[in-house]
Amino acid sequence: MTVSGGCRCGACRYEVALDAVTAVYCCHCTDCQRWTGSAFSEQAVVPAGAITAAGPVIDYTLATPSGRQSHQYACGTCHARLWNVSSLRPDLAIIRAGTLDENRSLEPRAHIWVRSKQPWIVLDDDVPQWPEGPDLEGFFAALSR
C-alpha cells in the first residue's frame, strides 16, 4: 500500500510505501514557525527510501548550526516544502503532514520545542512534550505508542 501527498499547486506528487502514516508530531521551534508562516509544523517520520516523487521537486540544502546538512525537498513551482532529510539520520525523512492527501485524521503523538510555542496554544497534558529537542529514545517511544 501507499500513502500519497503533494504540493499546493499540484505540480509535485509523492507516494510513501507504507500502510499508513500515523506517527505525527508537532514542532514549535522558531525555525518551523518561520518556514511555515504559522505557529508550528506538523510532521511525520517515514523511511527515506520509502518515498517516490514526481514533478519538479527541488533540493534546497542548508547547513544547520551544528554543521549537519538538511535537505529540504520542495516543489520547484510553488515552493511548498514536502519533506526533509538530515545528514544526522539519512535513513529517515520528515514529511510535512499537511501535504498528505489524508491528513484530517492525524493526531500529534508528541510536541517538541514547546518552550518556543505560541502562548495561546494549549497542549494536551496526555501528549508527551519536550521543551527543546527530544531525546531520541523517548521521542520514538512516543511516536510508536
Side-chain angles (χ1 to χ4, degrees), residues 51 105 110:
I51 301 173
S105 63

Side-chain angles (χ1 to χ4, degrees), residues 61-70 86-88:
T61 303
L62 61 114
T64 66
S66 66
R68 294 184 204 118
Q69 295 289 308
S70 178
S86 170
S87 61
L88 176 65

Side-chain angles (χ1 to χ4, degrees), residues 89 130 134-144:
R89 300 287 309 253
W130 284 265
D135 66 280
L136 292 182
E137 184 178 334
F139 180 66
F140 285 113
L143 294 182
S144 64

Side-chain angles (χ1 to χ4, degrees), residues 7-24:
C7 67
R8 183 180 181 272
C9 75
C12 292
R13 296 288 303 158
Y14 67 85
E15 290 186 338
V16 185
L18 297 172
D19 290 337
V21 174
T22 57
V24 172

Side-chain angles (χ1 to χ4, degrees), residues 2 4 7 16 22 43 52 54 59-60 63 65 74 88 91-93 97 110 115 117 127 134 145:
T2 60
S4 58
C7 67
V16 185
T22 57
Q43 307 176 126
T52 57
D59 175 357
Y60 171 69
L88 176 65
D91 55 325
L92 297 178
R115 76 176 176 101
K117 78 173 182 61
V127 178
R145 64 180 173 99

